[in-house]
Amino acid sequence: MGSLESRSPFKKDPHLQGSSSLRNTTGSSSSSNVSGIWGQRNRSRFARLVFFRKINYLQLICAVAVFFFFVFLIQMSLPGSVMDDLLEQHFEDEFELCVQVFADLWVDPHQILMATVATALREIGYEIEVLSLEDGPVHAIWREVGLPLSVITADENMKFSVDWLNYNGILVNSLKAVGFLSSLMQEPFRHVPVIWTIHEQTLALRLREYVSSGQTDLVDNWRKVFSRATVIVFRNYILPMAYSACDPGNYFVIPGSPAEAWKAENILASNGDNPHLKIGYAQDDFVVAVVGSQILYRGLWLDHAFVLQALHPVLRDFSSSSSHLKIIILAGHSTSNYSSAVETIARTLKYPNETIKHVAVDDADTVLSTADLVIYGSFLEEHTFSGHFAKSHVLWEACTCPDLPMIRKYVTDRVNGYIFPKEDIGVLTQIMSQLVSNGRLSLSAQDAASSGKHAAKNLMVSESVEGYALLLENILALPSEVSISQAAKQIPVELKVGWQWHHFEAIKDAHSPNETRRIYKFLDKVEKQFNHTFKEHPVALYTINDTFLYGIWEEQKYVDMVNMRKRREDEELKDRTAHPRGIWDEVYRNARRTDRTLHERDEGELERTGQPLCIYEPYFGEGTWPFLHRTSLYRGIGLSTRGRRPGADDIDAPSRLPLLSNAYYRDVLEEYGAFFAIANRIDRIHKNAWIGFQSWRATARMKSLSKTAERSLLGAIEARRHGDALYFWAGLHMDMRNHLEQDFWSFCDAINAGNCQFAFSEALTKMYGLKHNVSSLPPMPLHEGTWSVMHCWALPTKSFLEFVMFSRMFVDALDAQFYDEHQKTGRCCLNLSKDKHCYSRLLELLINVWTYHSARRMVYVDPETGYMQEQHMLNGRRGRMWVKWFQFRTLKSMDEDLAEELDSEHPKRRWLWPSTGEVFWQGIYEKERELRNKVKEWKRQQSKDKIQRMRRRARQKALGKYVKPAEDSNSTTVKLLR
């Protein structure tokens, strides 16, 4: 494993170094021209390096041994803290980047909750951004908190111009933000971790109706949406049960929310002078509300019976008072028959008529706003604090409750409430005598109610904040350049004692009007979109069975492509052999067919024919569509047959390179899969003198070519201003991953878990067939110029093919190095965590090494203005370039060696190189010529045999002769002359 400490400069053997002269640009492809300095080609890869002779291998071995010995001594002598600093220097200023998405920016408890969580997460090292579909009053609050906020828009198909791959995790808030999930369900965003927090119960009620009415399609659709989230978070255990109809197994409860306190504050603001009138009671009546678990469990009626039995002696205290005792049992829903159970208990305990009343929890807010005293009448131990009980504290109401563990955690006896043992219900009677005096609350009860409000208003803040932090720790998969944030336990105490109420005090009345109606309207819109999505794009959402069926389809598709490729090769072979032209009718039909094909060509393809450059945009999945261009200068290339743009003249990469049908190689190669697919028989699809590529992610980051830059680039190409050059417009100096402005190899190490140089050295050793590791790496200037990133560049087509030739061999060496471990465990030493892309970040920088050391000019194009500036001037590179390693003749010789090995020896080992493009060497051409000659000879022999058979054929003598009658004869006569 490569070291993460400061990189020691490697010493390069002068005999492996290119001369100071510029590279040979003859570019001859024939093997006869390879002789020169390379001599006769040898099939042994190691023998090839003998052409770089004068290497003293004993000196090389000694130098490597001495180097690693001193590295070992330095590491042993450094204290642990210094080593930690060396390790961390690559990750400075890089943190987990998460985004919170909202449907709107109206004031509501969800905004308060997430503002509190975001503030705490930022304190322990997370970077947080905020996105919203609508603007609103809370926009200013997020700015005040110090978090960047963007208001985005979506098209009619709910597609967003957001590159979700920029974020390590996404926090979706509320049901109204479900529209974001439709974008996150599409490739390439399907595997970005998503935490979806659902606060509302509105959809749960709908799902219950769908189940009862047999509308299973809608339930299934919602289940597919729920399954996209990595985790769905609820604030209590009631909501997961309410949403059980579409539970995909990813539900999680993080207790704590300001929602109950928020509702209670609104109730206080709307209460009139006589709240008792709301439920039909007199102003002097003393109202006791018995609340408890929101679950109708089997023993609830017994708990309520015990509580009512303990309250019965209190009736005597009201006998001499003008007020009357009123008891409300708050339990069950309006559809339940719990009222009859309450009436039976009241009759059994001989309560006066109209003293006890049952009210469903649907009217809980009305009941709690009118109650003078609240009793928690449920003895069931639960994991979360009762929302109704918390709300009653905020409403300045005196509360008493049994000594359950969850209650004792937040209620202190006789400070902010009164606690009685659940085993001795008689203590409740004694407490009631202390709470009620002359039909009114006693002073001690009022003091307890007053002190309980602040605690209830900031209930379970610590559990909520730490819960989200722990959840993120467990689900985020971090790239190698991102540092690991501090643990959740290190969140400062002051950020866990209260919700961020103070930010919202000034705009607390700016809440959304008709919130319930808006949610229903929004759900109607989403379900309508479901119907369109599943009918028009049935592969937009996936299930487990879809994956299995798609695997079968992929296999059949591969077989079809192989057969089609075989037919094409047969047709090509037929074209190379002599064959009769056919009759004029056949020639005419073929000409008409060709003419019809030309007329049916796409308009964009016809426009591209006359221009010098075509820029290809590799993409994977529907999520990238908003970032792709549709002008004639650009052409998309889909890395998967699935998810291609309808109506666009895009290239289907897997049909040109079957290797890309393998998901493993599609992920590790990424854009290089597109390079290989286009280079494979390039003359069939690419007719332009120059070829370019642009990542859709550059467009998402506003780094793509502007119209001005496009004109500037085309002008430079047409004028041949820089000759055989690499033009690039996504520079390392502008890359968000390079805050420290590192040099080339340090940056490569930083984004590859510190192992870039090690992997590069191993790949070169394997590629060039060396017996010992390369003692140094190709030198790249430390502090001059910038480099290409993100695969945004243009090259002459001929140079592109040369680069692909080099890349195929380099990728094959990387594959041999990483495949076994990566395929087996999902882990790769180029990332700190499991990563399906493995060496794709190393390949992102490979174009720079090849261009620099093949002595080509490198020109940076400003993507906005089109201003061009040459980087790493050729004169300054003299003596630094490894031209002999990267020149065309060397690479062509190596390529033909590999082709000859495959064609002659047919090795049985797993070998990636033959699957990445064309396999050709002189022997293949000779075999084809020999085959053509054999076919000609066979046809010639067939003709000779036919003639011989005709000559040897026995001939029958004539039976007679026809004699034409005389003209003046009136009869016809046939004479047979014998």
Side-chain angles (χ1 to χ4, degrees), residues 655-675:
S655 65
R656 295 192 52 78
L657 192 71
L659 176 68
L660 297 180
S661 297
N662 185 326
Y664 173 81
Y665 284 109
R666 183 177 61 227
D667 291 335
V668 296
L669 293 177
E670 291 194 327
E671 280 85 353
Y672 272 73
F675 301 166

PDB file of all heavy atoms in Angstrom, residues 655-675:
ATOM      1  N   SER A 655     -23.801  -1.989 -27.599  1.00  0.00           N
ATOM      2  CA  SER A 655     -23.895  -2.683 -28.881  1.00  0.00           C
ATOM      3  C   SER A 655     -22.592  -2.576 -29.666  1.00  0.00           C
ATOM      4  O   SER A 655     -22.309  -3.410 -30.525  1.00  0.00           O
ATOM      5  CB  SER A 655     -25.039  -2.105 -29.714  1.00  0.00           C
ATOM      6  OG  SER A 655     -24.773  -0.762 -30.074  1.00  0.00           O
ATOM      7  N   ARG A 656     -21.793  -1.546 -29.374  1.00  0.00           N
ATOM      8  CA  ARG A 656     -20.495  -1.407 -30.028  1.00  0.00           C
ATOM      9  C   ARG A 656     -19.384  -2.089 -29.239  1.00  0.00           C
ATOM     10  O   ARG A 656     -18.353  -2.456 -29.802  1.00  0.00           O
ATOM     11  CB  ARG A 656     -20.151   0.080 -30.190  1.00  0.00           C
ATOM     12  CG  ARG A 656     -21.093   0.818 -31.118  1.00  0.00           C
ATOM     13  CD  ARG A 656     -20.527   2.182 -31.449  1.00  0.00           C
ATOM     14  NE  ARG A 656     -19.151   2.104 -31.934  1.00  0.00           N
ATOM     15  CZ  ARG A 656     -18.795   1.738 -33.149  1.00  0.00           C
ATOM     16  NH1 ARG A 656     -19.730   1.400 -34.028  1.00  0.00           N
ATOM     17  NH2 ARG A 656     -17.532   1.701 -33.502  1.00  0.00           N
ATOM     18  N   LEU A 657     -19.577  -2.229 -27.928  1.00  0.00           N
ATOM     19  CA  LEU A 657     -18.573  -2.882 -27.081  1.00  0.00           C
ATOM     20  C   LEU A 657     -19.329  -3.737 -26.058  1.00  0.00           C
ATOM     21  O   LEU A 657     -19.753  -3.241 -25.015  1.00  0.00           O
ATOM     22  CB  LEU A 657     -17.709  -1.836 -26.368  1.00  0.00           C
ATOM     23  CG  LEU A 657     -16.455  -2.374 -25.675  1.00  0.00           C
ATOM     24  CD1 LEU A 657     -15.422  -2.795 -26.733  1.00  0.00           C
ATOM     25  CD2 LEU A 657     -15.845  -1.327 -24.758  1.00  0.00           C
ATOM     26  N   PRO A 658     -19.530  -5.019 -26.335  1.00  0.00           N
ATOM     27  CA  PRO A 658     -20.333  -5.883 -25.441  1.00  0.00           C
ATOM     28  C   PRO A 658     -19.828  -5.920 -24.011  1.00  0.00           C
ATOM     29  O   PRO A 658     -20.583  -6.256 -23.104  1.00  0.00           O
ATOM     30  CB  PRO A 658     -20.217  -7.265 -26.106  1.00  0.00           C
ATOM     31  CG  PRO A 658     -19.955  -6.970 -27.551  1.00  0.00           C
ATOM     32  CD  PRO A 658     -19.125  -5.728 -27.565  1.00  0.00           C
ATOM     33  N   LEU A 659     -18.571  -5.558 -23.783  1.00  0.00           N
ATOM     34  CA  LEU A 659     -18.035  -5.535 -22.420  1.00  0.00           C
ATOM     35  C   LEU A 659     -18.870  -4.646 -21.509  1.00  0.00           C
ATOM     36  O   LEU A 659     -19.013  -4.911 -20.306  1.00  0.00           O
ATOM     37  CB  LEU A 659     -16.583  -5.033 -22.451  1.00  0.00           C
ATOM     38  CG  LEU A 659     -15.880  -4.852 -21.090  1.00  0.00           C
ATOM     39  CD1 LEU A 659     -15.648  -6.209 -20.436  1.00  0.00           C
ATOM     40  CD2 LEU A 659     -14.577  -4.103 -21.260  1.00  0.00           C
ATOM     41  N   LEU A 660     -19.457  -3.588 -22.059  1.00  0.00           N
ATOM     42  CA  LEU A 660     -20.228  -2.641 -21.248  1.00  0.00           C
ATOM     43  C   LEU A 660     -21.570  -3.200 -20.817  1.00  0.00           C
ATOM     44  O   LEU A 660     -22.269  -2.578 -20.006  1.00  0.00           O
ATOM     45  CB  LEU A 660     -20.425  -1.336 -22.019  1.00  0.00           C
ATOM     46  CG  LEU A 660     -19.140  -0.577 -22.357  1.00  0.00           C
ATOM     47  CD1 LEU A 660     -19.458   0.691 -23.126  1.00  0.00           C
ATOM     48  CD2 LEU A 660     -18.359  -0.250 -21.085  1.00  0.00           C
ATOM     49  N   SER A 661     -21.962  -4.349 -21.337  1.00  0.00           N
ATOM     50  CA  SER A 661     -23.164  -5.003 -20.823  1.00  0.00           C
ATOM     51  C   SER A 661     -22.910  -5.607 -19.450  1.00  0.00           C
ATOM     52  O   SER A 661     -23.849  -5.948 -18.742  1.00  0.00           O
ATOM     53  CB  SER A 661     -23.617  -6.103 -21.793  1.00  0.00           C
ATOM     54  OG  SER A 661     -23.977  -5.538 -23.041  1.00  0.00           O
ATOM     55  N   ASN A 662     -21.646  -5.736 -19.100  1.00  0.00           N
ATOM     56  CA  ASN A 662     -21.245  -6.194 -17.771  1.00  0.00           C
ATOM     57  C   ASN A 662     -21.242  -4.997 -16.837  1.00  0.00           C
ATOM     58  O   ASN A 662     -20.453  -4.064 -16.999  1.00  0.00           O
ATOM     59  CB  ASN A 662     -19.853  -6.833 -17.841  1.00  0.00           C
ATOM     60  CG  ASN A 662     -19.405  -7.448 -16.522  1.00  0.00           C
ATOM     61  OD1 ASN A 662     -19.724  -6.953 -15.447  1.00  0.00           O
ATOM     62  ND2 ASN A 662     -18.667  -8.529 -16.610  1.00  0.00           N
ATOM     63  N   ALA A 663     -22.128  -4.992 -15.844  1.00  0.00           N
ATOM     64  CA  ALA A 663     -22.271  -3.830 -14.954  1.00  0.00           C
ATOM     65  C   ALA A 663     -20.992  -3.526 -14.200  1.00  0.00           C
ATOM     66  O   ALA A 663     -20.705  -2.355 -13.902  1.00  0.00           O
ATOM     67  CB  ALA A 663     -23.414  -4.075 -13.967  1.00  0.00           C
ATOM     68  N   TYR A 664     -20.213  -4.557 -13.891  1.00  0.00           N
ATOM     69  CA  TYR A 664     -18.971  -4.322 -13.149  1.00  0.00           C
ATOM     70  C   TYR A 664     -18.037  -3.415 -13.954  1.00  0.00           C
ATOM     71  O   TYR A 664     -17.531  -2.414 -13.437  1.00  0.00           O
ATOM     72  CB  TYR A 664     -18.279  -5.647 -12.835  1.00  0.00           C
ATOM     73  CG  TYR A 664     -16.905  -5.475 -12.228  1.00  0.00           C
ATOM     74  CD1 TYR A 664     -16.750  -5.202 -10.871  1.00  0.00           C
ATOM     75  CD2 TYR A 664     -15.760  -5.560 -13.016  1.00  0.00           C
ATOM     76  CE1 TYR A 664     -15.493  -5.021 -10.322  1.00  0.00           C
ATOM     77  CE2 TYR A 664     -14.497  -5.382 -12.477  1.00  0.00           C
ATOM     78  CZ  TYR A 664     -14.370  -5.119 -11.124  1.00  0.00           C
ATOM     79  OH  TYR A 664     -13.116  -4.935 -10.573  1.00  0.00           O
ATOM     80  N   TYR A 665     -17.807  -3.745 -15.218  1.00  0.00           N
ATOM     81  CA  TYR A 665     -16.886  -2.953 -16.026  1.00  0.00           C
ATOM     82  C   TYR A 665     -17.500  -1.622 -16.439  1.00  0.00           C
ATOM     83  O   TYR A 665     -16.776  -0.643 -16.644  1.00  0.00           O
ATOM     84  CB  TYR A 665     -16.442  -3.759 -17.241  1.00  0.00           C
ATOM     85  CG  TYR A 665     -15.419  -4.800 -16.879  1.00  0.00           C
ATOM     86  CD1 TYR A 665     -15.743  -6.154 -16.890  1.00  0.00           C
ATOM     87  CD2 TYR A 665     -14.136  -4.444 -16.481  1.00  0.00           C
ATOM     88  CE1 TYR A 665     -14.805  -7.122 -16.531  1.00  0.00           C
ATOM     89  CE2 TYR A 665     -13.193  -5.392 -16.118  1.00  0.00           C
ATOM     90  CZ  TYR A 665     -13.537  -6.726 -16.148  1.00  0.00           C
ATOM     91  OH  TYR A 665     -12.612  -7.658 -15.779  1.00  0.00           O
ATOM     92  N   ARG A 666     -18.803  -1.557 -16.556  1.00  0.00           N
ATOM     93  CA  ARG A 666     -19.428  -0.264 -16.843  1.00  0.00           C
ATOM     94  C   ARG A 666     -19.168   0.716 -15.702  1.00  0.00           C
ATOM     95  O   ARG A 666     -18.951   1.911 -15.925  1.00  0.00           O
ATOM     96  CB  ARG A 666     -20.933  -0.446 -17.044  1.00  0.00           C
ATOM     97  CG  ARG A 666     -21.648   0.853 -17.432  1.00  0.00           C
ATOM     98  CD  ARG A 666     -23.108   0.590 -17.682  1.00  0.00           C
ATOM     99  NE  ARG A 666     -23.771   0.078 -16.499  1.00  0.00           N
ATOM    100  CZ  ARG A 666     -24.589  -0.964 -16.482  1.00  0.00           C
ATOM    101  NH1 ARG A 666     -24.837  -1.603 -17.598  1.00  0.00           N
ATOM    102  NH2 ARG A 666     -25.158  -1.373 -15.360  1.00  0.00           N
ATOM    103  N   ASP A 667     -19.147   0.217 -14.469  1.00  0.00           N
ATOM    104  CA  ASP A 667     -18.933   1.084 -13.313  1.00  0.00           C
ATOM    105  C   ASP A 667     -17.469   1.471 -13.142  1.00  0.00           C
ATOM    106  O   ASP A 667     -17.160   2.623 -12.828  1.00  0.00           O
ATOM    107  CB  ASP A 667     -19.434   0.387 -12.047  1.00  0.00           C
ATOM    108  CG  ASP A 667     -20.946   0.259 -12.011  1.00  0.00           C
ATOM    109  OD1 ASP A 667     -21.619   1.082 -12.660  1.00  0.00           O
ATOM    110  OD2 ASP A 667     -21.457  -0.670 -11.366  1.00  0.00           O
ATOM    111  N   VAL A 668     -16.546   0.525 -13.313  1.00  0.00           N
ATOM    112  CA  VAL A 668     -15.141   0.851 -13.072  1.00  0.00           C
ATOM    113  C   VAL A 668     -14.532   1.659 -14.218  1.00  0.00           C
ATOM    114  O   VAL A 668     -13.622   2.465 -14.008  1.00  0.00           O
ATOM    115  CB  VAL A 668     -14.289  -0.420 -12.828  1.00  0.00           C
ATOM    116  CG1 VAL A 668     -14.739  -1.131 -11.575  1.00  0.00           C
ATOM    117  CG2 VAL A 668     -14.312  -1.347 -14.015  1.00  0.00           C
ATOM    118  N   LEU A 669     -15.031   1.459 -15.434  1.00  0.00           N
ATOM    119  CA  LEU A 669     -14.489   2.191 -16.576  1.00  0.00           C
ATOM    120  C   LEU A 669     -15.116   3.568 -16.719  1.00  0.00           C
ATOM    121  O   LEU A 669     -14.456   4.519 -17.130  1.00  0.00           O
ATOM    122  CB  LEU A 669     -14.698   1.389 -17.864  1.00  0.00           C
ATOM    123  CG  LEU A 669     -13.929   0.079 -17.991  1.00  0.00           C
ATOM    124  CD1 LEU A 669     -14.298  -0.631 -19.282  1.00  0.00           C
ATOM    125  CD2 LEU A 669     -12.425   0.322 -17.951  1.00  0.00           C
ATOM    126  N   GLU A 670     -16.418   3.680 -16.435  1.00  0.00           N
ATOM    127  CA  GLU A 670     -17.157   4.918 -16.614  1.00  0.00           C
ATOM    128  C   GLU A 670     -16.914   5.507 -18.010  1.00  0.00           C
ATOM    129  O   GLU A 670     -17.171   4.857 -19.013  1.00  0.00           O
ATOM    130  CB  GLU A 670     -16.805   5.906 -15.502  1.00  0.00           C
ATOM    131  CG  GLU A 670     -17.333   5.481 -14.139  1.00  0.00           C
ATOM    132  CD  GLU A 670     -17.281   6.581 -13.113  1.00  0.00           C
ATOM    133  OE1 GLU A 670     -16.361   7.413 -13.168  1.00  0.00           O
ATOM    134  OE2 GLU A 670     -18.171   6.619 -12.243  1.00  0.00           O
ATOM    135  N   GLU A 671     -16.365   6.744 -18.112  1.00  0.00           N
ATOM    136  CA  GLU A 671     -16.202   7.371 -19.431  1.00  0.00           C
ATOM    137  C   GLU A 671     -15.273   6.577 -20.345  1.00  0.00           C
ATOM    138  O   GLU A 671     -15.388   6.661 -21.571  1.00  0.00           O
ATOM    139  CB  GLU A 671     -15.671   8.798 -19.268  1.00  0.00           C
ATOM    140  CG  GLU A 671     -16.725   9.828 -18.909  1.00  0.00           C
ATOM    141  CD  GLU A 671     -16.994   9.896 -17.427  1.00  0.00           C
ATOM    142  OE1 GLU A 671     -16.439   9.040 -16.686  1.00  0.00           O
ATOM    143  OE2 GLU A 671     -17.745  10.790 -16.996  1.00  0.00           O
ATOM    144  N   TYR A 672     -14.342   5.832 -19.767  1.00  0.00           N
ATOM    145  CA  TYR A 672     -13.444   5.053 -20.613  1.00  0.00           C
ATOM    146  C   TYR A 672     -14.200   3.968 -21.383  1.00  0.00           C
ATOM    147  O   TYR A 672     -13.749   3.539 -22.450  1.00  0.00           O
ATOM    148  CB  TYR A 672     -12.326   4.435 -19.772  1.00  0.00           C
ATOM    149  CG  TYR A 672     -11.140   5.359 -19.639  1.00  0.00           C
ATOM    150  CD1 TYR A 672     -11.209   6.481 -18.826  1.00  0.00           C
ATOM    151  CD2 TYR A 672      -9.974   5.148 -20.354  1.00  0.00           C
ATOM    152  CE1 TYR A 672     -10.145   7.358 -18.705  1.00  0.00           C
ATOM    153  CE2 TYR A 672      -8.899   6.014 -20.245  1.00  0.00           C
ATOM    154  CZ  TYR A 672      -8.983   7.122 -19.422  1.00  0.00           C
ATOM    155  OH  TYR A 672      -7.936   7.980 -19.319  1.00  0.00           O
ATOM    156  N   GLY A 673     -15.310   3.528 -20.858  1.00  0.00           N
ATOM    157  CA  GLY A 673     -16.151   2.624 -21.626  1.00  0.00           C
ATOM    158  C   GLY A 673     -16.626   3.263 -22.914  1.00  0.00           C
ATOM    159  O   GLY A 673     -16.692   2.620 -23.966  1.00  0.00           O
ATOM    160  N   ALA A 674     -16.946   4.565 -22.845  1.00  0.00           N
ATOM    161  CA  ALA A 674     -17.348   5.292 -24.055  1.00  0.00           C
ATOM    162  C   ALA A 674     -16.160   5.457 -25.004  1.00  0.00           C
ATOM    163  O   ALA A 674     -16.313   5.339 -26.226  1.00  0.00           O
ATOM    164  CB  ALA A 674     -17.911   6.664 -23.672  1.00  0.00           C
ATOM    165  N   PHE A 675     -14.963   5.737 -24.444  1.00  0.00           N
ATOM    166  CA  PHE A 675     -13.783   5.863 -25.301  1.00  0.00           C
ATOM    167  C   PHE A 675     -13.566   4.585 -26.105  1.00  0.00           C
ATOM    168  O   PHE A 675     -13.353   4.620 -27.320  1.00  0.00           O
ATOM    169  CB  PHE A 675     -12.532   6.139 -24.463  1.00  0.00           C
ATOM    170  CG  PHE A 675     -12.593   7.384 -23.628  1.00  0.00           C
ATOM    171  CD1 PHE A 675     -11.669   7.606 -22.623  1.00  0.00           C
ATOM    172  CD2 PHE A 675     -13.565   8.346 -23.827  1.00  0.00           C
ATOM    173  CE1 PHE A 675     -11.707   8.739 -21.846  1.00  0.00           C
ATOM    174  CE2 PHE A 675     -13.623   9.495 -23.054  1.00  0.00           C
ATOM    175  CZ  PHE A 675     -12.689   9.694 -22.053  1.00  0.00           C
TER     176      PHE A 675
END
